[in-house]
Structure formats: structure tokens, C-alpha cells
Amino acid sequence: MINENYDAVVIGSGHAGCEAALALARMGQKTLLLTLNLDSIAFLACNPSIGGTAKGHLVCEIDALGGEMGIIADKTTIQRRMLNGSKGPAVQSLRAQADKVMYHTEMKKVLENTKNLFVKQGEVKNIIVKNNKVCGVKTVQGDSFKAKAVVVCTGVYLKSDVIIGKVRQNSGPNGFAPANHLTASLKKLGLKIRRFKTGTPVRVHSDTINYSVLTEQCGEDNIQTFSFMTKTPPKNVIKCYLTYTNLKTHELILNNLDKAPMYNGEIKSEGPRYCPSIESKVVRFADKQQHQLFLEPEALSTKEVYVQGFSTSMPTYLQHQMVHSVLGLENAHIMRDAYAIEYDCIDSLELYPTLQYKKINGLYFAGQVNGTSGYEEAAAQGIIAGINAALFIQNKPPFVLKRDEAYIGVLIDDLTTKGTNEPYRMMTSRAEYRLQLRQDNADLRLTQKGYDIGLVSKERYKAYLNRVKQIEQLKNDLKTVVSPKKIEKMFNEKQETLPKVGITFKDVLKRSNIFVEDLVKYFPEFSKYKPNVLKQVEIDIKYEGYLTKQNIQIEQSKKQENTELSAQIDYSKIKGLRIEAQQKLNKIKPLTLGQASRISGVSPADIAVLTVYLKTLKNS
């Protein structure tokens, strides 16, 4: 029997576990990362992509705080695009196809070469707790590892079942072994266990696809990277392709719904509403004659192609018929069947915004075990759980990002204040201050915070300070007044009305048809600034009025956000609060008045009563 001491133990090496372990180790804590299988580290079990709508924001924020996902994503990108590129900067989201094999390999390499971090293959059976404080973990082999903090990042592996038609197998994703023992320990610790579901599409052999009838989807150059530390932007080395389902596909599905586990009662757990199976899409959108399918290569070293949009748990013989009904896939050879996967997860309302379990000091949860979906959501929780576990060990104040500071703040506040009854997915619409929370300014919002808590490296911080300096210099240069004569050619070409007197370069950039690229073209002195600096300042200038209005809203909401609520308050004793509000407030124990106001079932009238109660306490 092994008996070793660590500062922290991280359970699971998915995207949450990797970020949590790296944050702990980089903040000086001796950390053990326990994983069921070393080959599943940072495994892209579903889509071989990083980023996407709102998810790209999360990756940039993880990077700005000193995390690893953005660096690895840039290093392993084989195609990248900016989604919503024709829309405003608030909703533009970077998405990259990553090489599935390289991503795992590069992240494993980083973990193995990180000081203070020890990676070990093993399955945790019990979390050891004494006097409501975590003390370590015990494995199925009987080994014990003492720790002051434990971060649970078990993903979709807890008692997971893979479902294809009538076949149900106790398995993790991609044939990896499940974690069958830890759920019982979590129940003993008082956690409410729920059952969620997700799924993944078929993989087909590239050589059996008829690409000649498909629409090419090429990557984009001259767009930002995920990491502010990436010096050479990744190249687009592959093409993706677009095809569609059709009436024949839909007929096959509708005629066989009795064989679909989602509809015949085999699957009873909650699935992700925003990433439905193809059978759910066909049933839910009965008026649509087709649905988009994207064919995306999984890696440069394999012929496997991911059919995005074609998740299903239908029997294999029906999967073959459905795939072969699609244009370009008539002769496609399926290398991996699609499947649904059910797994145990916890109720995120049982966590503080630090992601610590409310009943046990030093026990944190991050990732899909908290009821979320997606690599990016998992990694975002992982870095916050890792940071807070390190601060807990160091007896330092916790680190909580607010909704006006980061998408990560929105994500975690939603989970710990509102909860979720289905796998939670991040979307730009969830962020009320999204114009402030853009991808391009993630470092300006978060890198100083990451440095202050001891996670951001000196190298990263130096690069950040240099960028801040360049931004300030550019803003000063843009105050220069330029004569109408010098801008006449540019204004005529861009069909802008020429001013009669001199104006500043800043006012030039405010014109709707003029962009930084035009400024650099006609005034080469601005070419000394990096593209991301030019773009950053351009956005700030063009959206100045909107940003000012949003700042006013943020300042108005800060009064509630800064009003702290004691965890000792018994809300059932506050007269005037409705019974539902009393129950919800006692269950969640919000940390601030602002958090209380966002709890489902707590009305503005309840907040008014609570405000009066707090004033009475203050005056007594």
C-alpha cells in the first residue's frame, strides 16, 4: 500500500483536470493528477475543435489568466475561422479545428514537464474527509494520498454507459474505462447525484467521401489567435466540407423512432438542448427539409472524419442507412459508430462560486461533473477551481470573477446561482455585458488578476505590459490633428464626407467606412503597431458610446454585487420574504445581494425586503 503526501489531488485529466492541476502546480502546490488512463489526457472525445460561439471567449480568458488551453489549441490548429465575422466584435468567436492526436500529446507533454506536478494512472474510490475538511483520497488499489485540497474533474466517466440502439455498455467515451466507484463516496458526502447525457456522431473514412459534390469550407488568415503568447499564427492546412441531410434521411429517422433510445425510453437522462441528436432535430424542426452537416478531419495522422451535426444513438444498421442517404456520403465507410453516453454528475447549486462544495472545506468540483457540456466550459471551471484550491491551501482570500469581468464569471455564476437541469452550454446571449467581455481584450481584463494571484508567469506578464504600453502610445498618436488635404484621397476612396477643418485620427477612425487597415495604408507610421493593438484600439473607438453606456450599467449594479451576505443568515426568519424565496436563499446561501437577485424564485420584492433587513442589521 502506497501512502504519500501532497498539497492537492486532482481527480481526472480531461480539460478541467489539466487546467486545475496546472494552476495548482504553477501556484507552488505539490499536486498529484490521478487519471483513469494516461492515454485519455486532454482527449477530444467529441468534436476535434476548440472554441466556437462564446466558447472562444472562454479560451481567451483561460489564456489571459495563465492557463494552457489556448496555447495548445494554437499549436495544434489545422484550420481556424472567426464565427460571426460579419457581426460586431462582441459576438465574434474564434473556432479552430485541432489535431486530435497532437492536442493530447502536447498537453500531456506540458503536464509531465511542469514543476510540482505528478501525473499517475489510477482510479479514485473514496474521498477522505474529517471534521468537514478534505484530507485526501483512496484508490481502488488501496493506495492513499493525503492532501489539503481535492479537485474532482471526472467529466462524463462517473458510472458512464455508452448506448447504441438496444446495446448499453458500461464504458467511458471512445472505449475508455468508466469510473464506477467514486459516485458512492460522493453520495456519502451528501452530494445530490443526477444523470445527464451527451452524444457524438459517426466518424467516416476520408477516402470513401465524394468531395466533388460538397461545398468547401476554408479557413481564415489574419485573425486573432487564442493565446496572447502565440507569436506565429497557425496555418490552415486542411479543408472542411459542408453537406446536408435530406427528406430520405428524415424519413428513415421518423419511421424508426421506436428504435431510437431517446424516444423509446431507453434513455431517461437529460441531454444538451443546444447540441441535439439528429433524430431530435428532425422531430423538433419537422418543417425543415434539411440540416447542415460539416465534415471535419480529426487529425493529420488519420483518415477519420468527424460528421458534425450527426449525433445519434440509433442502432448501427440504421446509422449506416442514415449516413448513406446523405449527399457525398453514399459510399462512406463508418470507422466509429455514433453513440450516446449517460453519466453521473452533481447539482452545481451545492457549490460556492469558488467551486468549493459548501459542506466540506477544500473539496472542489470542475467540468462536466458540474453539469456542463463542452471542453471550454470544463477548462474554464478547472482553472478557477485550481486557483481557489491553491489559495485555500495558502490561507488566502478566494478568487471569484464577476459577471461584468469575464465570461468565466457568467458561467460559474449561472451554475452556482441558477443551476442547470440539462448540460449547460455557454452562449454570448448569457452575458449581459458582452460588449465589454470580448476575445480581443481578455488579457486587459484578466492578466493583471492572474499575475496578482501568482499564476501568470513573468514572461506572460511582461508581454501584457508591453501590449498595454503600445495601446496607450497608439491612443496618444491618434490624438494628432490631420488636415483635410492629407485625408482627402482616403475619404474619397471610402466615400466619406471630407471635413472642412482638421480632425484627429481618432475622429477619422470613428467614420463607419474607415478602418485601421486604411489608416496603415495611407499613414505608414501606424504600421509600427502590432495588428492586435490596432484592432483593440479601433474597437474601443468605434464602440465608445456603447461602452460608456454599459460601464454606467455596470457601476449601477456594483452596489448590489458589493453588498455581502453572511452564510449564517437564516432566511426563514426574515419577515416579508415569500416562502419560495426563503427556501431558495437558504439552499444556495448567496454570497452577495447581487447573487441573491439572480436566484430563480427570488423576486425584486424579496430583494427589497432583504435590503431593508440588512439596513436594520447595520443600524442595530
Side-chain angles (χ1 to χ4, degrees):
M1 185 185 296
I2 298 171
N3 196 333
E4 295 178 343
N5 291 331
Y6 292 88
D7 292 321
V9 171
V10 176
I11 305 171
S13 67
H15 306 285
C18 289
E19 294 295 347
L22 286 169
L24 276 156
R26 287 168 175 171
M27 291 175 71
Q29 309 310 308
K30 183 184 178 184
T31 304
L32 175 66
L33 174 59
L34 281 168
T35 177
L36 289 169
N37 193 326
L38 291 173
D39 295 330
S40 66
I41 288 174
F43 184 65
L44 300 171
C46 196
N47 196 335
S49 72
I50 301 293
T53 305
K55 293 168 177 279
H57 293 71
L58 290 174
V59 181
C60 291
E61 290 179 352
I62 292 163
D63 178 74
L65 283 171
E68 196 66 28
M69 177 175 261
I71 293 173
I72 303 297
D74 285 342
K75 191 177 286 188
T76 60
T77 289
I78 51 180
Q79 191 199 74
R80 63 195 188 113
R81 301 174 67 195
M82 186 68 76
L83 305 187
N84 301 320
S86 61
K87 298 179 180 179
V91 295
Q92 291 177 6
S93 299
L94 183 61
R95 182 181 185 273
Q97 282 300 118
D99 186 300
K100 190 173 194 168
V101 177
M102 287 173 61
Y103 192 94
H104 154 75
T105 303
E106 290 297 326
M107 186 65 83
K108 186 169 182 279
K109 196 184 298 181
V110 170
L111 295 174
E112 292 172 346
N113 287 284
T114 296
K115 184 183 176 183
N116 300 320
L117 182 53
F118 302 84
V119 183
K120 183 175 177 64
Q121 187 165 296
E123 181 180 351
V124 174
K125 183 178 182 179
N126 290 311
I127 295 172
I128 305 164
V129 174
K130 290 181 182 177
N131 300 320
N132 296 323
K133 187 175 181 181
V134 77
C135 298
V137 302
K138 195 170 186 176
T139 68
V140 294
Q141 292 82 9
D143 297 326
S144 295
F145 301 102
K146 294 178 183 178
K148 301 166 189 171
V150 171
V151 186
V152 180
C153 306
T154 47
V156 299
Y157 286 82
L158 281 184
K159 297 184 78 172
S160 53
D161 288 336
V162 164
I163 304 152
I164 304 175
K166 291 182 179 180
V167 179
R168 177 183 284 265
Q169 293 177 300
N170 182 212
S171 171
N174 208 53
F176 287 120
N180 288 331
H181 299 89
L182 188 58
T183 293
S185 178
L186 298 180
K187 283 181 178 178
K188 284 182 182 178
L189 296 176
L191 285 141
K192 177 184 175 184
I193 301 298
R194 302 186 295 174
R195 199 81 173 150
F196 275 6
K197 167 232 168 239
T198 187
T200 189
V202 296
R203 273 69 161 179
V204 298
H205 195 293
S206 177
D207 292 348
T208 63
I209 299 170
N210 181 9
Y211 289 108
S212 65
V213 296
L214 304 181
T215 305
E216 283 188 1
Q217 298 284 302
C218 297
E220 295 178 69
D221 298 315
N222 302 318
I223 53 176
Q224 78 166 87
T225 54
F226 284 120
S227 177
F228 292 94
M229 298 301 289
T230 299
K231 293 180 172 62
T232 305
K235 295 179 180 179
N236 295 293
V237 295
I238 56 105
K239 291 178 182 177
C240 297
Y241 292 84
L242 174 65
T243 187
Y244 298 87
T245 60
N246 51 56
L247 292 178
K248 184 180 178 182
T249 318
H250 297 187
E251 185 181 358
L252 269 168
I253 292 169
L254 294 172
N255 289 342
N256 291 281
L257 282 178
D258 60 319
K259 300 174 186 69
M262 284 287 294
Y263 290 91
N264 64 18
E266 176 64 33
I267 292 177
K268 296 182 175 67
S269 51
E270 291 294 330
R273 192 191 333 169
Y274 300 104
C275 189
S277 65
I278 188 62
E279 48 265 40
S280 294
K281 283 192 274 192
V282 169
V283 171
R284 211 191 298 173
F285 306 105
D287 57 318
K288 286 199 170 187
Q289 296 189 350
Q290 61 181 25
H291 291 283
Q292 286 185 330
L293 301 176
F294 292 93
L295 305 183
E296 302 170 331
E298 293 231 293
L300 298 179
S301 59
T302 179
K303 292 283 187 177
E304 289 184 73
V305 175
Y306 180 93
V307 186
Q308 186 195 333
F310 214 74
S311 290
T312 182
S313 53
M314 285 286 206
T316 53
Y317 75 93
L318 278 172
Q319 291 189 30
H320 280 242
Q321 292 177 42
M322 289 156 57
V323 168
H324 293 155
S325 71
V326 175
L327 181 69
L329 301 180
E330 294 89 349
N331 299 304
H333 169 63
I334 296 176
M335 298 177 72
R336 296 183 200 252
D337 297 312
Y339 61 82
I341 184 167
E342 286 188 321
Y343 54 94
D344 287 347
C345 59
I346 70 165
D347 184 351
S348 56
L349 290 176
E350 297 188 300
L351 306 177
Y352 288 119
T354 59
L355 297 180
Q356 179 182 265
Y357 178 37
K358 291 174 180 177
K359 294 179 182 178
I360 297 172
N361 290 326
L363 180 57
Y364 296 81
F365 289 80
Q368 287 183 265
V369 71
N370 287 345
T372 59
S373 69
Y375 314 136
E376 303 81 3
E377 289 89 341
Q381 294 168 73
I383 195 170
I384 296 300
I387 288 169
N388 279 305
L391 294 173
F392 171 78
I393 294 166
Q394 297 166 2
N395 291 315
K396 291 181 180 178
F399 181 74
V400 176
L401 290 169
K402 296 175 184 174
R403 296 181 73 91
D404 63 340
E405 292 178 320
Y407 267 76
I408 296 176
V410 175
L411 163 67
I412 294 176
D413 184 64
D414 279 354
L415 290 175
T416 58
T417 302
K418 301 175 183 178
T420 183
N421 293 318
E422 63 185 42
Y424 176 102
R425 179 180 180 179
M426 193 70 238
M427 295 179 290
T428 53
S429 59
R430 297 190 191 274
E432 55 268 55
Y433 305 119
R434 57 185 173 272
L435 188 54
Q436 299 277 8
L437 310 181
R438 306 185 308 274
Q439 295 174 128
D440 60 271
N441 68 1
D443 62 332
L444 304 182
R445 291 183 280 115
L446 300 174
T447 298
Q448 184 65 55
K449 294 178 186 292
Y451 184 74
D452 291 342
I453 59 174
L455 180 54
V456 166
S457 67
K458 289 181 179 179
E459 180 191 7
R460 180 184 289 272
Y461 189 59
K462 184 179 178 182
Y464 157 74
L465 291 178
N466 184 56
R467 196 165 106 85
V468 170
K469 185 179 178 181
Q470 278 214 336
I471 288 170
E472 291 305 314
Q473 287 177 344
L474 176 56
K475 285 181 177 178
N476 281 330
D477 286 352
L478 291 173
K479 292 176 183 177
T480 304
V481 176
V482 61
S483 68
K485 186 177 180 180
K486 287 187 176 180
I487 57 174
E488 184 176 8
K489 187 177 180 182
M490 177 171 63
F491 271 54
N492 288 339
E493 184 180 303
K494 306 303 291 187
Q495 297 182 330
E496 286 284 354
T497 304
L498 189 68
K500 295 180 179 179
V501 295
I503 62 171
T504 64
F505 282 114
K506 179 182 177 179
D507 287 330
V508 168
L509 266 184
K510 283 184 178 180
R511 299 295 182 106
S512 56
N513 294 323
I514 295 177
F515 300 91
V516 286
E517 294 83 2
D518 304 310
L519 216 58
V520 171
K521 177 182 175 182
Y522 286 95
F523 298 92
E525 59 265 35
F526 287 108
S527 63
K528 67 181 179 182
Y529 293 106
K530 292 181 179 178
N532 66 6
V533 170
L534 290 162
K535 185 57 67 175
Q536 176 76 63
V537 173
E538 178 188 60
I539 292 170
D540 288 343
I541 289 171
K542 286 191 179 292
Y543 291 87
E544 189 174 39
Y546 297 104
L547 288 166
T548 300
K549 286 180 183 178
Q550 203 161 91
N551 277 326
I552 293 170
Q553 293 174 338
I554 291 169
E555 288 303 314
Q556 289 171 344
S557 72
K558 275 185 179 177
K559 190 173 181 181
Q560 280 192 340
E561 294 299 334
N562 293 333
T563 303
E564 295 182 359
L565 297 175
S566 170
Q568 309 307 315
I569 296 175
D570 184 351
Y571 295 94
S572 62
K573 293 181 179 179
I574 300 178
K575 293 180 180 179
L577 282 180
R578 294 174 307 110
I579 292 175
E580 183 186 9
Q582 291 175 354
Q583 292 172 342
K584 291 287 182 70
L585 289 164
N586 272 330
K587 178 183 178 182
I588 295 172
K589 291 290 185 182
L591 299 180
T592 67
L593 194 61
Q595 187 186 1
S597 71
R598 293 188 292 277
I599 296 173
S600 175
V602 177
S603 70
D606 295 317
I607 295 300
V609 170
L610 197 50
T611 303
V612 172
Y613 168 78
L614 293 172
K615 286 181 179 177
T616 305
L617 275 185
K618 190 177 180 181
N619 296 329
S620 61

